[in-house]
Amino acid sequence: MASARVLERCRALVRPALVEAVGTLHPWTGEMAAYALGWSDTTGAADSGGSQGKGVRQALAVLGAEAVGADDTKAVPGAVAVELVHTFSLLHDDIMDGDALRRQRPAVWKAYGTGPAVLTGDALLAQAVTTLAEVPGRHAAAAVRCLCRTLNDLVYGQAQDLRFERLPWYGPGAIGPKQYRSMAEHKTGALLGCALALGAILGGAPDRTVTTLERAGRHLGLAFQAVDDILGIWGDPAVTGKPVHADLRRGKKTYPMLAALAGEGRAAHELAVLLDPPQPLDHEAAARVAALVEELGGRTATRDEARRHLDTARGALRDASLTHTAAQQLDRLFTYVLDRTV
């Protein structure tokens, strides 16, 4: 698959600098960071079976630089920064969501403790900013500003996501698609947009091109989050590494749920009844909710939502003057986002 080759090429390019960045941390936080990145086990020994993630964000940074005609090495500090920020966000999100598993292994907070996991996330965040601040030349300041704006967006989106869990599913105070999209753009779209923008910034692109690429990445992120929502309900735990129906049990307001609740008839009424009790859903109730959401078109509507945002992202790419090869590879990567199963 062409997208897999692109991801592998970009991971191989970025890996030495990423290892070097993690190597600057305190040995203990460095060990936990290496575990989070799938490089090692809890003893610090190399783990050949550990999942190192897809590397979508670092690939976007590399392709962002190549798309504006720059050498791929220009993007490496940006790719390292977004990968460190992504890992930091996963460490903290797992704690806030109570997720015990990440990539088919115990989450860092389960393996090492909550305090150490928080500290490791903080260390990764600090190193991400440092990595960009130390880029030689005139583009470092713009790159740091871009990353800092994104960090504010990530916090904003996570705050929305957590708050939404406390809001009712329907009636007064319930959220709708507009609020959901705001959350998804801040929580997921911002970092993908930042990845493309950093590649372009470090590649010396004009502001207009940087803005266009960032917009494309944000819409890609909305599509990415929509697919994540599907996997959160119907994904295979053996593939996703997360418990079945994890999002349903936490009461997460995801797009399939919101689309299903807009339906009518017997199935919609049954769904509303099942979601009414304040206590978490048990296994049987969660399975029934998932079936009703699919019956009410929630999965189909979410796939359509993902396609719409991918189309918008592709339109943004067409509005920019990009190198042909990198534009093609970005297009393939966008398709991968829609078709992924993990």
Side-chain angles (χ1 to χ4, degrees), residues 262-311:
E264 298 178 349
R266 177 202 56 79
H269 175 72
E270 183 182 350
L271 178 61
V273 170
L274 285 170
L275 295 175
D276 188 54
Q279 65 269 20
L281 296 169
D282 59 24
H283 176 76
E284 183 178 347
R288 182 57 184 159
V289 166
L292 288 168
V293 170
E294 180 146 28
E295 182 180 338
L296 288 161
R299 194 200 299 230
T300 299
T302 306
R303 292 285 294 181
D304 291 343
E305 173 82 354
R307 288 191 184 94
R308 283 193 297 272
H309 286 293
L310 278 183
D311 288 344

Side-chain angles (χ1 to χ4, degrees), residues 310-325:
L310 278 183
D311 288 344
T312 302
R314 288 189 167 109
L317 292 182
R318 288 193 294 270
D319 290 340
S321 179
L322 307 178
T323 63
H324 179 68
T325 299

